[in-house]
Amino acid sequence: MAKTTVVRRNVGVFAHVDAGKTTTTEHMLYESGQIRAVLRFKIEPGPCGSGLQYDSQVRAENLLPQYQNEVARRVPQALQQGLYGWEVVDLKVTLIEGEHHVWHTHPLDFAVATPMGIMDGLVNTETMLLEPMLQFRITVPEEFGGK
């Protein structure tokens, strides 16, 4: 009988704020197989001004309701984080497939997998960043105004 050796590594990630520590850690966990959550989204553009519309077509037998609730809670957060730092708006996001492991899955697996899936979907569908629309008003005293 072959002897199995388990190797464990403790990894510390230190960096400045917004340097990508969370993303790096999540990616390491995902690649190592420690995240046991499978999600598949259908992402469609929505009418201008419609905001986020979220729906789930996954049955409770395939993905427990507590995990579906975690996904529904994390989708708006992922879109607020957005592509290139700008919030993504006016989308219809539908969860069309989800799987979990009976013993090994934890709700935090879906907290990590949801933003990864949403961002991957936005990048792979070639979502473009439109010029941000910013509105502002400048008020100056009349003597400093031009003609």
Side-chain angles (χ1 to χ4, degrees):
M1 178 179 229
K3 184 177 178 182
T4 304
T5 303
V6 176
V7 177
R8 296 186 188 268
R9 299 279 187 250
N10 292 326
V11 177
V13 180
F14 300 96
H16 292 284
V17 174
D18 292 334
K21 298 180 296 290
T22 303
T23 304
T24 302
T25 305
E26 290 170 353
H27 186 72
M28 289 169 42
L29 289 170
Y30 177 76
E31 290 296 325
S32 68
Q34 297 302 309
I35 296 176
R36 295 177 175 93
V38 176
L39 298 171
R40 197 162 137 213
F41 295 101
K42 180 179 181 183
I43 301 174
E44 303 170 279
C48 188
S50 65
L52 170 65
Q53 298 171 1
Y54 175 78
D55 186 32
S56 175
Q57 296 178 350
V58 179
R59 297 170 57 171
E61 300 89 50
N62 297 339
L63 187 61
L64 295 175
Q66 67 199 42
Y67 299 146
Q68 291 191 38
N69 292 339
E70 188 65 31
V71 172
R73 192 167 74 86
R74 298 295 178 156
V75 167
Q77 293 174 357
L79 293 174
Q80 189 175 20
Q81 182 182 14
L83 276 177
Y84 313 113
W86 290 91
E87 182 177 5
V88 179
V89 295
D90 303 335
L91 284 181
K92 180 178 181 187
V93 177
T94 307
L95 179 63
I96 57 175
E97 184 180 346
E99 297 177 19
H100 67 279
H101 189 276
V102 175
W103 298 108
H104 300 295
T105 300
H106 188 274
L108 288 178
D109 293 340
F110 290 94
V112 172
T114 300
M116 290 174 69
I118 292 291
M119 290 303 143
D120 186 55
L122 292 174
V123 169
N124 287 332
T125 57
E126 299 177 1
T127 302
M128 294 174 49
L129 176 65
L130 301 177
E131 188 66 32
M133 302 282 293
L134 304 175
Q135 181 179 357
F136 58 92
R137 177 182 292 189
I138 299 174
T139 305
V140 297
E142 191 172 328
E143 62 264 16
F144 297 113
K147 292 185 180 182

